[in-house]
Amino acid sequence: MESTKTRELFACIALIFTALFWAGNAVVARAVADIIPPMALSFWRWVLAFLILLPFALPHLRDAWPTVRRHWRLLTVLAFLSAGIFNTLLYLAAQTTTAVNMTLVNSTMPIFIGIIAYFINDARLTNRQILGICMALLGTLVIISRGSLGVLLSIGVNPGDLLMVIAVSCWGLYSVLLKRMDIKIHPVVLLTVLIGLALPMIFVVYLAELALDYHFKPNMHAILAITYVGLFPSVLSYLGWNYGVAVIGPARSSMFVYLVPVFGAGLALLFLGEQLHAYHAGGAILILIGLYLAILAELRQ
């Protein structure tokens, strides 16, 4: 029992850092929006991530290869849903919708995961988990609406919002399938294989972007940005997310998504000069209460 609780605690810590690195990804993407086209950033981040992971995956690849061959169809689906389509749609959505809209739609990820898990795994949420989800969602709404109902009600719907809905749905399906299939592969090998399978998909979209004459110059800002997104949100966050899903399940892992706007606000203050307000603190408190009710309270029992 103690070993299980320890693994769950480490899973929660990994998911906290996952949310932090995802928030950093959003801040970096916003900072270099005028320097690097969206598909170029997506493609080169995964190229770098693949090159970083490959030396660590190779020693385990021989033992894992029979499993990879046996499950290659499922792995291709997981690659398409995660590194392939989720990030591609996310960057495309950023071209036609606001950051407020993207954050709002992204905050519904636990709902999508819960619904998908219900139909695929026949999963059930406890009353405390439902209350925690509601509290965390309320906290997220407070942050993205800047504490104003008028701001929230003024949000319009456009194609970018629909792309975000599809993206979040794909990530939810990926998380549920990842837990359900429980493919026994070394985590580094799994992520390397997923990236390797996704790269050709992303490359096709990147070629389309280049055909439309969207290019970038590899200056220092661009190199630093690609280095960050290629290491932290692409490698460490995926490893952290996959570990969290494997240990505590997709529904509970998805609760940590609510930490992204909290970390994002702090990072934006430090690196982009954006100001924090009272509604940030109020939203963060609600999110932390929601996390405690849905997840952390169970670890204390």
Side-chain angles (χ1 to χ4, degrees):
M1 177 63 71
E2 187 64 29
S3 177
T4 300
K5 292 296 182 183
T6 301
R7 291 181 68 243
E8 290 182 346
L9 179 60
F10 277 115
C12 290
I13 294 173
L15 288 166
I16 290 172
F17 278 99
T18 293
L20 173 63
F21 297 149
W22 277 343
N25 179 47
V27 172
V28 169
R30 191 157 57 242
V32 299
D34 296 330
I35 300 176
I36 310 176
M39 292 305 99
L41 184 60
S42 179
F43 175 72
W44 289 111
R45 70 178 277 192
W46 290 121
V47 169
L48 178 59
F50 185 78
L51 294 177
I52 292 173
L53 286 167
L54 191 58
F56 299 98
L58 284 177
H60 307 280
L61 193 56
R62 172 179 290 184
D63 293 336
W65 189 247
T67 305
V68 172
R69 291 186 60 184
R70 185 164 61 252
H71 296 287
W72 71 268
R73 293 182 180 85
L74 174 60
L75 290 170
T76 301
V77 172
L78 292 176
F80 173 75
L81 292 172
S82 57
I85 195 170
F86 175 76
N87 290 279
T88 299
L89 292 178
L90 188 69
Y91 284 110
L92 287 174
Q95 305 302 303
T96 57
T97 190
T98 65
V100 172
N101 288 40
M102 291 179 65
T103 308
L104 176 59
V105 176
N106 193 68
S107 70
T108 64
M109 187 181 294
I111 299 174
F112 279 96
I113 290 179
I115 293 173
I116 294 170
Y118 173 80
F119 285 104
I120 294 181
N121 295 337
D122 195 26
R124 295 293 189 273
L125 297 175
T126 65
N127 291 334
R128 184 167 56 189
Q129 287 175 319
I130 294 173
L131 178 60
I133 289 175
C134 293
M135 292 287 288
L137 179 58
L138 178 61
T140 302
L141 292 177
V142 168
I143 291 175
I144 64 178
S145 67
R146 303 192 297 276
S148 171
L149 181 61
V151 171
L152 194 61
L153 294 177
S154 67
I155 295 177
V157 177
N158 56 47
D161 297 330
L162 299 179
L163 288 175
M164 277 301 301
V165 170
I166 298 172
V168 172
S169 301
C170 289
W171 186 263
L173 182 57
Y174 160 77
S175 300
V176 174
L177 290 177
L178 182 68
K179 175 64 175 179
R180 179 180 176 85
M181 301 308 175
D182 193 26
I183 302 175
K184 302 299 183 181
I185 302 179
H186 190 282
V188 174
V189 175
L190 175 61
L191 181 54
T192 305
V193 170
L194 292 179
I195 294 174
L197 291 171
L199 271 174
M201 311 174 196
I202 303 171
F203 184 61
V204 172
V205 184
Y206 181 40
L207 287 178
E209 184 178 76
L210 291 175
L212 296 174
D213 201 28
Y214 288 98
H215 303 273
F216 77 98
K217 296 180 179 180
N219 55 35
M220 183 58 64
H221 291 292
I223 293 174
L224 289 175
I226 293 173
T227 300
Y228 174 83
V229 299
L231 175 60
F232 291 93
S234 299
V235 175
L236 299 182
S237 285
Y238 267 72
L239 289 174
W241 179 264
N242 290 352
Y243 180 70
V245 168
V247 174
I248 67 174
R252 295 168 69 192
S253 296
S254 69
M255 288 298 300
F256 287 85
V257 173
Y258 290 116
L259 288 175
V260 174
V262 179
F263 288 136
L267 293 173
L269 171 68
L270 290 174
F271 297 105
L272 299 181
E274 298 183 2
Q275 296 183 355
L276 298 182
H277 302 279
Y279 59 80
H280 289 119
I285 290 172
L286 289 171
I287 289 171
L288 292 175
I289 292 174
L291 277 170
Y292 177 82
L293 290 173
I295 299 172
L296 298 182
E298 295 185 10
L299 298 181
R300 295 172 61 89
Q301 297 179 354

